[in-house]
Amino acid sequence: MRKLIVTAATAAFLAFGGAAFAAVKHTTGTVKSFDGTAMSLVLDNGSTFTLSKAFKDPGIQAGEKVRVSWDMSGKKKIAEAVKIMK
């Protein structure tokens, strides 16, 4: 019985442990364009992000240096948060 519990616990860890490795990525750059209506952000290096529905605009303007926390959803980069760098 004990062996069964350990095996089940190991299987559960392996099944859900992969989600922990799908960590949010970070990119820094200068804002080329920002459209709050279209929920899009483009950096000067060509990186394009779609802003999440929960996104809160910290006052982003073109020319500002930002740090974008993002993750992939299909083929799109979804920005979870954007922080203006000082």
Side-chain angles (χ1 to χ4, degrees):
M1 181 70 172
R2 185 178 213 167
K3 190 173 188 178
L4 179 63
I5 292 171
V6 171
T7 303
T10 302
F13 174 76
L14 292 174
F16 295 108
F21 294 111
V24 173
K25 297 158 195 70
H26 303 283
T27 300
T28 57
T30 303
V31 176
K32 182 175 180 181
S33 66
F34 168 70
D35 187 339
T37 305
M39 301 298 282
S40 68
L41 172 69
V42 179
L43 300 182
D44 62 346
N45 64 6
S47 296
T48 302
F49 302 92
T50 300
L51 305 171
S52 71
K53 293 179 182 182
F55 177 76
K56 304 284 187 216
D57 180 10
I60 300 169
Q61 296 181 8
E64 290 184 304
K65 186 169 182 173
V66 295
R67 180 177 188 212
V68 182
S69 300
W70 60 277
D71 204 355
M72 292 296 293
S73 178
K75 293 183 179 182
K76 291 184 179 181
K77 293 179 183 176
I78 306 297
E80 301 296 330
V82 179
K83 181 179 179 184
I84 298 171
M85 305 298 286
K86 300 201 180 214

